[in-house]
Amino acid sequence: MSESIGFIGLGNMGQPMAINVLKAGYNMKVYNRDQRKAESITEAGARSGARPAEVVERGGIVITMLSNDEALKAVTLGHDGLLNYLGPGGVHISMSTVSPNLAREMHELHEKEGCSYVAAPVFGRPEAAESQQLWIVEAGNTAAKERIRPILEAIGQGIFDFGEDPAHANIVKISGNFLIAAAMESMGEVFALAEKSGIDRTQIFEMLTQTIFSSPIYKNYGKKIAEKNFQPVGFPMRLALKDVNLVLDSSEQVQSPMPFASQLHDRLLSGIAKGRGESDWAELTRGIADDAGIE
Amino acid sequence: MSESIGFIGLGNMGQPMAINVLKAGYNMKVYNRDQRKAESITEAGARSGARPAEVVERGGIVITMLSNDEALKAVTLGHDGLLNYLGPGGVHISMSTVSPNLAREMHELHEKEGCSYVAAPVFGRPEAAESQQLWIVEAGNTAAKERIRPILEAIGQGIFDFGEDPAHANIVKISGNFLIAAAMESMGEVFALAEKSGIDRTQIFEMLTQTIFSSPIYKNYGKKIAEKNFQPVGFPMRLALKDVNLVLDSSEQVQSPMPFASQLHDRLLSGIAKGRGESDWAELTRGIADDAGIE
Amino acid sequence: MSESIGFIGLGNMGQPMAINVLKAGYNMKVYNRDQRKAESITEAGARSGARPAEVVERGGIVITMLSNDEALKAVTLGHDGLLNYLGPGGVHISMSTVSPNLAREMHELHEKEGCSYVAAPVFGRPEAAESQQLWIVEAGNTAAKERIRPILEAIGQGIFDFGEDPAHANIVKISGNFLIAAAMESMGEVFALAEKSGIDRTQIFEMLTQTIFSSPIYKNYGKKIAEKNFQPVGFPMRLALKDVNLVLDSSEQVQSPMPFASQLHDRLLSGIAKGRGESDWAELTRGIADDAGIE
Amino acid sequence: MSESIGFIGLGNMGQPMAINVLKAGYNMKVYNRDQRKAESITEAGARSGARPAEVVERGGIVITMLSNDEALKAVTLGHDGLLNYLGPGGVHISMSTVSPNLAREMHELHEKEGCSYVAAPVFGRPEAAESQQLWIVEAGNTAAKERIRPILEAIGQGIFDFGEDPAHANIVKISGNFLIAAAMESMGEVFALAEKSGIDRTQIFEMLTQTIFSSPIYKNYGKKIAEKNFQPVGFPMRLALKDVNLVLDSSEQVQSPMPFASQLHDRLLSGIAKGRGESDWAELTRGIADDAGIE
């Protein structure tokens, strides 16, 4: 396990993921635009690079965990981009939630260089990343997926394979985020109705999630929403809108209307217009309370 | 356990529920508008009445399981209605999904006669009713709820108490049905997107329900929707629209807008307009396919 | 023109309408629940009755202009109701915006008594009522419509006939109100976009209404909305929601989904929840500003 | 009036517009990707160029009328693009419906070259273009706007000025298209309700457009919709979706949610998914009929 792994992107998701890879015994070189965020992980044994290119080895493996398409393009493309250094046989594990279109584009660019782009976005909040409890959705070149499997196993509790087209993993990922947002809106509407009808929000939440809606999403987000307690911020509304937009773009591309997604778009955009762009996305449900005249 | 219980309403939910009460050792008199439906349960040992009044004992317990407000009023009110025979100390366990307003009205009418109206609607499809796996939401007079507890335990796997106002149990019930419909629409939109993007519907269903959406609703309804297999009909679209309308009425009464409910209203109404009123409500997702031009 | 006309309902629409009938030379007896509102018209020469029945003559003509179904039923039905006194040959001109279902019911009840129920709802605000500029939509018995024509001509600038089924006139009326609300929402969305984009709201309003949207509705309501000047209150939001609900009920009855109507329902309900139920319905567009975080 | 004007884009709008400029006495050089479309206008006296660059004179005036952002960029930018030949003092009148963002970008690029980019999108269908009845919305450099005024007057019946920022003209234009689509959806919902209620579609259309909705949009499009007669195709649904998307993009940029626009997006996307992308956009109302189960 002396292979060296590059890791780019040490945000609140990337940081704990990188630490888990390090703990699994890999050598690691990390890069983050804001270098101060690399400190704790270099203290734990990783080396740090000043540019994306510095953490990549020819034919090696590099992981990226960034917040959007632009960030991924910035570290990957161009003269200083990682792609210019990865070379034949290399594998780029792209764990960011980016657009399916970018995944397709990246796939082709990597193929031209003789290396592989494996899309491997994750489900889970920062706490899940820390405790190695992420769910990973992967798609890309079969041989590359086999090679990186032990690394992914160090990061998540389960891996779901969606074939050779990296875009498919991204469609699944953004679909999952859409489903979470839809579940939050649905619960928010119910809890507001309950509150205005004189029923305890927490009690209806508990009934539902102990019975027919006993899944992590309903339990975890439902609790936040029932209690109107949106701290800490695991995923900001601003990025949630980005993801709903990715879903809407994909749905437009294949001509498959998604009215709930359209409505979530409006809900999230309104939240951002009201100054809540950096709040946790569960706070989209505050818009329901606003509409109902609840303080 | 020699107490005699009246049971009114032997549809595809009422029938198995009545059988479970009978199995628990109670004497039972049953009534159904279409008397042929009473045959299998009289063969199992229940007696049958020709009118609602005949299955009620003064001060006794009567259970109703009917399809809507009108049906509940028809068997309860008027000269031949059960309320005229139930008398002081009697308990009417109303397990139908009816409007919160009717629950309040019934509550008052029963109080005037010195008897109790306990709302006890259930979650679960006919299979769950058979296997005693229903979830029961109750609200009403405390003493009455204590008295009927063993009967409810014979019917469901869990009882959730929502206090003294029967309407609250009905609000919880219709909210739950709204949440199920919202989950179905959400999944339907995702599976249509997946299908048109070249991703296997079943595979994305499995990934989601093995991980963050691992609840009965997502697993059971998701499977039907992913496989486009809507047989048998557990709950017809016609009644689903009735329930979404009840949610919308309640939300209007307390002034708490529910945009997802409005959208589900339109979806279900369209399904009915297309001739699918008697199809299972999971078939609301066919409307998504129609909109996407999928055959 | 010595015929005596009964007029019931002297609100901010009924009052000027009654005055125009009086000016046309008819004898008039008026009734209003709050009798003080009858004062100015009795000063102008009408007589006043203490009960609906007192303003009706057997075989005569009575006009009602009330705010909803309940009010119309209250003055029409029961022992003291006008129907009990109208008798064979009488004509009830119902100008209120009520439900198509009530129109059908009233039609049958009047037929049984040998009299006619003509639905004749109007388009126009109180200013238009004063200046005899209302548009009238009528439906009902042909002979009765001929008889009342001069009276309607005293009230409006044009009469549109929709046949013999009174419900049809009401469907047209509530459809018109829906179209107005939809036009207001549409303009509100555009003016908010303009405002946040640095374009003058009034300038875009003027361009549009001087060209392709040069109709009274766009000009009159558009001006209010562009200038955010919602005084005076011509039609309260509370009644606008009532009318949108009538449209939705009608659309449900014939199974014809109306998604814009559903969205307007949510918008108006939210306005009412925020305490704007008595504001002019053009203020529904304040909800758009709220959603956009505009003060 | 011997000034030579370049005209690029001879589609069903550009063709009649170019002819009107020609008729006004200007010399004209035209370019169209498909050169056969230039024939009728060269027969009328214009000269034809093989490349965009060939129709542009240094310091002269060039008009573009193209279907989207990509087409405008293709003829304007790059070595062979018109911008490379227009030079100091030149004016580019951009009459296409393009994105406000592209307008801003073009404005800057033209300024760098010392020439002016005036956005001047139009309202009106091909018939209006032929009869010089277009409405023109302009924004851009003041001196340039003065210079081109006689040309615009040869094309339209009225010019509305929105200041110096070209993007503003495009926001007004796409807002107008959104309003038209919203009016069509609104009427479509009403006519479907009428039809299923037994009311003649044409009769309700006539009543409404002779009274409170007496504007060209309601009259012209309303007639098509009431009669379900969508020939000829003036503006294809595919381009209508493009414009609604431009509105949604603009609304997102300034954070001003537009729920009717979101719903129109879904409606148009569904129409396209059903194979109606090249049909007239008034046919979006067929989706309402589909939802209502109307053949």
Side-chain angles (χ1 to χ4, degrees):
Chain A
M1 281 225 197
S2 60
E3 190 164 26
S4 176
I5 311 286
F7 201 109
I8 296 174
L10 299 168
N12 58 358
M13 289 297 289
Q15 185 107 233
M17 287 161 70
I19 284 170
N20 283 330
V21 176
L22 193 65
K23 280 185 186 164
Y26 290 96
N27 292 316
M28 183 174 282
K29 282 194 197 151
V30 301
Y31 167 78
N32 197 65
R33 206 174 44 179
D34 176 353
Q35 294 211 29
R36 283 167 303 180
K37 288 203 178 161
E39 279 170 26
S40 64
I41 192 161
T42 50
E43 280 166 20
R47 276 165 299 157
S48 169
R51 293 175 307 127
E54 288 182 16
V55 307
V56 183
E57 291 193 358
R58 275 192 94 69
I61 293 171
V62 61
I63 299 172
T64 51
M65 185 64 188
L66 300 151
S67 61
N68 56 32
D69 283 25
E70 288 61 43
L72 178 59
K73 282 191 276 191
V75 303
T76 307
L77 307 178
H79 183 266
D80 272 1
L82 70 89
L83 183 54
N84 205 18
Y85 295 81
L86 191 55
V91 181
H92 176 179
I93 314 176
S94 176
M95 306 191 81
S96 320
T97 300
V98 292
S99 72
N101 284 348
L102 181 58
R104 281 205 188 90
E105 206 183 301
M106 285 287 175
H107 175 60
E108 284 171 23
L109 292 168
H110 283 66
E111 268 200 332
K112 273 186 200 157
E113 303 293 328
C115 54
S116 299
Y117 177 86
V118 177
V122 299
F123 285 104
R125 291 168 68 95
E127 311 86 84
E130 273 173 48
S131 56
Q132 228 168 321
Q133 296 295 303
L134 298 172
W135 297 104
I136 302 171
V137 175
E138 67 167 12
N141 177 275
T142 304
K145 287 186 295 189
E146 269 170 40
R147 177 175 169 198
I148 66 175
R149 174 139 297 237
I151 301 169
L152 296 187
E153 282 169 351
I155 290 173
Q157 65 174 305
I159 301 165
F160 291 83
D161 187 74
F162 279 83
E164 300 250 323
D165 179 350
H168 285 185
N170 291 104
I171 291 172
V172 172
K173 167 60 190 168
I174 57 181
S175 292
N177 277 12
F178 156 71
L179 281 179
I180 297 170
M184 293 198 291
E185 168 74 24
S186 305
M187 283 189 286
E189 292 185 13
V190 162
F191 298 166
L193 169 65
E195 178 177 344
K196 292 197 85 173
S197 303
I199 299 170
D200 188 66
R201 292 168 73 97
T202 303
Q203 202 183 354
I204 190 169
F205 155 72
E206 280 173 0
M207 183 266 144
L208 290 163
T209 55
Q210 283 169 29
T211 59
I212 58 178
F213 288 101
S214 55
S215 66
I217 291 301
Y218 280 77
K219 282 175 191 264
N220 298 344
Y221 286 106
K223 194 172 188 320
K224 289 173 190 288
I225 294 165
E227 297 175 351
K228 300 181 184 176
N229 179 359
F230 303 114
Q231 296 299 332
V233 175
F235 187 59
M237 218 180 284
R238 179 178 46 79
L239 292 181
L241 178 58
K242 182 205 71 170
D243 286 2
V244 168
N245 281 340
L246 292 179
V247 168
L248 286 170
D249 288 349
S250 296
S251 85
E252 183 151 337
Q253 221 168 300
V254 298
Q255 301 176 352
S256 194
M258 297 179 73
F260 268 20
S262 290
Q263 208 153 69
L264 289 169
H265 169 273
D266 296 344
R267 178 72 80 198
L268 290 162
L269 182 56
S270 176
I272 292 167
K274 290 173 178 170
R276 301 170 190 160
E278 298 306 321
S279 300
D280 193 80
W281 63 332
E283 227 177 297
L284 70 89
T285 55
R286 270 184 69 193
I288 300 164
D290 295 343
D291 289 351
I294 299 173
E295 296 303 296
Chain B
M1 283 226 192
S2 59
E3 190 165 27
S4 174
I5 310 286
F7 201 109
I8 296 173
L10 299 168
N12 59 358
M13 288 296 289
Q15 185 109 233
M17 288 163 68
I19 285 171
N20 282 329
V21 176
L22 193 67
K23 281 186 187 162
Y26 292 94
N27 290 314
M28 182 173 283
K29 284 192 197 153
V30 300
Y31 168 76
N32 197 65
R33 207 174 40 179
D34 176 352
Q35 294 209 30
R36 286 167 301 182
K37 289 201 178 164
E39 279 170 28
S40 64
I41 192 162
T42 51
E43 282 167 19
R47 277 167 298 154
S48 169
R51 293 176 307 128
E54 288 181 14
V55 308
V56 183
E57 293 193 357
R58 277 193 91 70
I61 293 171
V62 62
I63 299 172
T64 51
M65 186 64 189
L66 301 151
S67 62
N68 56 31
D69 283 27
E70 287 61 44
L72 179 58
K73 281 192 274 191
V75 303
T76 306
L77 307 178
H79 182 267
D80 272 2
L82 70 91
L83 183 53
N84 204 20
Y85 295 81
L86 191 55
V91 181
H92 176 180
I93 313 177
S94 175
M95 306 191 80
S96 319
T97 300
V98 292
S99 72
N101 284 347
L102 181 59
R104 280 203 189 91
E105 205 183 299
M106 284 287 174
H107 175 59
E108 285 171 23
L109 291 170
H110 283 66
E111 267 200 331
K112 273 186 200 157
E113 305 292 327
C115 55
S116 300
Y117 177 87
V118 177
V122 299
F123 285 103
R125 289 166 71 94
E127 311 87 84
E130 273 173 47
S131 56
Q132 228 170 320
Q133 296 293 305
L134 297 172
W135 298 104
I136 301 173
V137 175
E138 66 167 14
N141 176 274
T142 304
K145 287 186 294 190
E146 270 171 41
R147 179 175 167 197
I148 64 174
R149 176 140 296 238
I151 300 170
L152 297 187
E153 282 169 352
I155 291 172
Q157 66 172 306
I159 301 166
F160 290 82
D161 186 76
F162 277 84
E164 301 250 323
D165 179 352
H168 285 185
N170 291 105
I171 291 172
V172 171
K173 167 60 191 169
I174 57 182
S175 293
N177 276 15
F178 156 70
L179 281 178
I180 296 170
M184 293 197 291
E185 168 75 24
S186 306
M187 284 188 286
E189 293 185 12
V190 162
F191 299 165
L193 169 65
E195 179 178 344
K196 291 197 85 172
S197 302
I199 299 170
D200 187 66
R201 291 169 73 99
T202 303
Q203 202 183 354
I204 189 169
F205 154 72
E206 280 172 0
M207 184 267 143
L208 289 163
T209 55
Q210 282 169 29
T211 59
I212 59 179
F213 288 100
S214 56
S215 65
I217 292 300
Y218 281 77
K219 282 175 191 264
N220 298 343
Y221 285 106
K223 192 171 189 322
K224 289 172 190 290
I225 295 165
E227 297 175 355
K228 301 182 185 177
N229 178 359
F230 304 114
Q231 295 298 333
V233 176
F235 187 60
M237 219 183 279
R238 177 177 50 79
L239 292 181
L241 178 57
K242 181 206 73 169
D243 287 2
V244 168
N245 280 341
L246 292 179
V247 168
L248 286 170
D249 287 348
S250 295
S251 84
E252 182 151 338
Q253 220 167 299
V254 299
Q255 300 177 351
S256 194
M258 298 180 71
F260 268 20
S262 290
Q263 208 152 72
L264 289 169
H265 169 273
D266 296 345
R267 179 71 80 197
L268 289 162
L269 182 57
S270 175
I272 292 167
K274 289 172 179 170
R276 302 170 189 159
E278 300 306 321
S279 299
D280 193 81
W281 63 332
E283 228 176 295
L284 70 88
T285 55
R286 271 184 69 191
I288 300 165
D290 294 342
D291 289 351
I294 299 174
E295 296 306 295
Chain C
M1 281 223 193
S2 60
E3 191 167 26
S4 175
I5 310 286
F7 200 110
I8 296 173
L10 299 168
N12 58 358
M13 288 298 289
Q15 184 108 233
M17 288 162 68
I19 284 170
N20 283 331
V21 176
L22 193 65
K23 281 185 187 163
Y26 292 95
N27 291 315
M28 184 173 281
K29 283 194 198 150
V30 300
Y31 167 76
N32 197 66
R33 206 174 44 180
D34 175 353
Q35 295 209 29
R36 285 167 303 181
K37 289 201 178 162
E39 280 170 26
S40 63
I41 190 160
T42 51
E43 281 165 20
R47 276 166 299 156
S48 168
R51 293 175 306 130
E54 289 181 14
V55 307
V56 182
E57 292 192 357
R58 277 193 92 70
I61 293 172
V62 61
I63 299 172
T64 50
M65 186 62 189
L66 300 152
S67 61
N68 56 31
D69 283 26
E70 287 63 41
L72 179 59
K73 283 190 275 188
V75 303
T76 306
L77 308 179
H79 182 267
D80 274 1
L82 69 91
L83 183 54
N84 204 19
Y85 295 80
L86 191 53
V91 181
H92 177 180
I93 313 177
S94 176
M95 307 191 80
S96 320
T97 301
V98 293
S99 71
N101 283 347
L102 181 59
R104 281 204 189 92
E105 206 182 302
M106 284 285 175
H107 176 58
E108 286 171 22
L109 291 169
H110 283 65
E111 269 200 331
K112 273 187 201 157
E113 306 291 327
C115 55
S116 299
Y117 178 87
V118 177
V122 300
F123 285 103
R125 290 167 70 96
E127 310 87 84
E130 273 173 49
S131 56
Q132 228 169 318
Q133 297 294 304
L134 297 173
W135 297 105
I136 301 173
V137 175
E138 67 167 14
N141 176 274
T142 303
K145 285 186 295 191
E146 270 170 39
R147 178 174 170 198
I148 65 174
R149 176 140 296 237
I151 301 170
L152 297 187
E153 281 169 353
I155 290 172
Q157 65 171 307
I159 301 166
F160 291 82
D161 186 75
F162 278 86
E164 301 250 324
D165 178 352
H168 285 185
N170 291 105
I171 291 171
V172 172
K173 166 60 190 168
I174 56 180
S175 293
N177 277 13
F178 156 70
L179 281 178
I180 298 170
M184 295 198 291
E185 169 74 24
S186 305
M187 284 188 284
E189 292 185 12
V190 162
F191 298 166
L193 169 65
E195 179 177 345
K196 293 198 84 171
S197 302
I199 299 170
D200 188 66
R201 292 168 72 96
T202 303
Q203 203 183 353
I204 189 170
F205 155 72
E206 281 172 1
M207 184 268 143
L208 290 163
T209 56
Q210 283 169 29
T211 59
I212 57 177
F213 288 101
S214 56
S215 66
I217 292 301
Y218 280 78
K219 282 177 192 262
N220 299 343
Y221 285 106
K223 193 172 188 320
K224 289 171 188 290
I225 294 166
E227 298 175 353
K228 300 182 184 175
N229 178 0
F230 303 113
Q231 295 300 331
V233 175
F235 187 59
M237 216 181 284
R238 178 178 47 80
L239 291 181
L241 178 59
K242 180 205 74 167
D243 287 0
V244 169
N245 280 340
L246 291 180
V247 168
L248 287 170
D249 287 349
S250 295
S251 85
E252 182 151 338
Q253 221 167 299
V254 298
Q255 301 177 352
S256 194
M258 298 180 71
F260 268 21
S262 290
Q263 207 152 70
L264 289 168
H265 169 274
D266 296 345
R267 178 71 81 197
L268 290 163
L269 182 57
S270 176
I272 292 168
K274 289 171 178 173
R276 300 168 190 160
E278 298 307 321
S279 302
D280 194 80
W281 63 332
E283 228 178 294
L284 71 86
T285 54
R286 271 183 68 192
I288 299 165
D290 295 342
D291 289 351
I294 299 173
E295 296 306 295
Chain D
M1 279 224 195
S2 61
E3 190 165 25
S4 175
I5 312 285
F7 200 108
I8 296 173
L10 300 167
N12 58 357
M13 288 296 290
Q15 185 108 234
M17 289 161 67
I19 284 170
N20 283 330
V21 176
L22 193 65
K23 281 185 186 163
Y26 292 94
N27 291 314
M28 184 173 284
K29 284 193 198 151
V30 300
Y31 169 77
N32 196 65
R33 206 174 41 179
D34 175 352
Q35 294 209 30
R36 285 166 302 178
K37 289 203 177 161
E39 279 169 27
S40 63
I41 193 159
T42 51
E43 281 166 19
R47 276 167 297 156
S48 168
R51 293 175 306 126
E54 288 181 14
V55 307
V56 183
E57 292 192 358
R58 275 193 93 70
I61 292 172
V62 63
I63 299 172
T64 50
M65 185 64 187
L66 301 151
S67 61
N68 55 31
D69 283 25
E70 287 60 45
L72 178 59
K73 283 191 275 190
V75 303
T76 307
L77 307 179
H79 184 266
D80 273 1
L82 69 90
L83 183 53
N84 205 19
Y85 295 80
L86 190 55
V91 181
H92 176 180
I93 314 177
S94 175
M95 306 191 80
S96 320
T97 299
V98 292
S99 73
N101 284 348
L102 180 60
R104 282 204 187 89
E105 206 183 301
M106 283 287 175
H107 175 59
E108 285 171 22
L109 292 168
H110 283 66
E111 268 200 331
K112 273 187 201 156
E113 304 292 328
C115 54
S116 299
Y117 177 87
V118 178
V122 300
F123 284 103
R125 289 166 70 95
E127 309 88 84
E130 272 172 48
S131 57
Q132 226 170 321
Q133 296 294 304
L134 297 172
W135 298 104
I136 301 173
V137 175
E138 67 167 13
N141 177 274
T142 304
K145 284 185 298 189
E146 271 169 40
R147 178 175 171 199
I148 65 173
R149 175 140 299 236
I151 301 170
L152 296 187
E153 282 168 352
I155 291 172
Q157 66 172 305
I159 301 166
F160 291 82
D161 185 75
F162 279 85
E164 301 249 323
D165 179 352
H168 284 185
N170 291 104
I171 291 173
V172 172
K173 167 60 189 168
I174 56 179
S175 293
N177 277 12
F178 156 70
L179 281 178
I180 297 170
M184 293 198 290
E185 167 74 24
S186 305
M187 284 189 286
E189 293 186 12
V190 162
F191 298 165
L193 169 64
E195 178 177 345
K196 293 198 83 174
S197 302
I199 299 170
D200 187 65
R201 291 168 73 99
T202 303
Q203 203 183 353
I204 190 169
F205 154 72
E206 281 172 1
M207 184 267 141
L208 290 163
T209 55
Q210 282 171 29
T211 60
I212 58 178
F213 288 101
S214 56
S215 65
I217 292 301
Y218 281 77
K219 281 174 191 266
N220 300 342
Y221 285 107
K223 193 171 187 323
K224 289 172 190 290
I225 295 165
E227 297 175 354
K228 300 182 185 176
N229 178 358
F230 304 113
Q231 295 300 332
V233 176
F235 187 60
M237 219 182 282
R238 178 179 48 79
L239 291 181
L241 178 59
K242 179 207 74 169
D243 287 2
V244 168
N245 281 340
L246 291 180
V247 168
L248 287 170
D249 287 349
S250 295
S251 85
E252 181 151 339
Q253 221 168 301
V254 299
Q255 300 176 352
S256 194
M258 297 180 72
F260 268 20
S262 290
Q263 209 152 70
L264 289 168
H265 169 274
D266 296 345
R267 178 71 79 198
L268 290 162
L269 182 56
S270 174
I272 293 167
K274 289 171 179 171
R276 303 170 188 159
E278 298 307 321
S279 301
D280 193 79
W281 63 332
E283 227 177 297
L284 71 87
T285 54
R286 270 184 69 192
I288 299 165
D290 294 341
D291 289 350
I294 298 173
E295 294 306 294

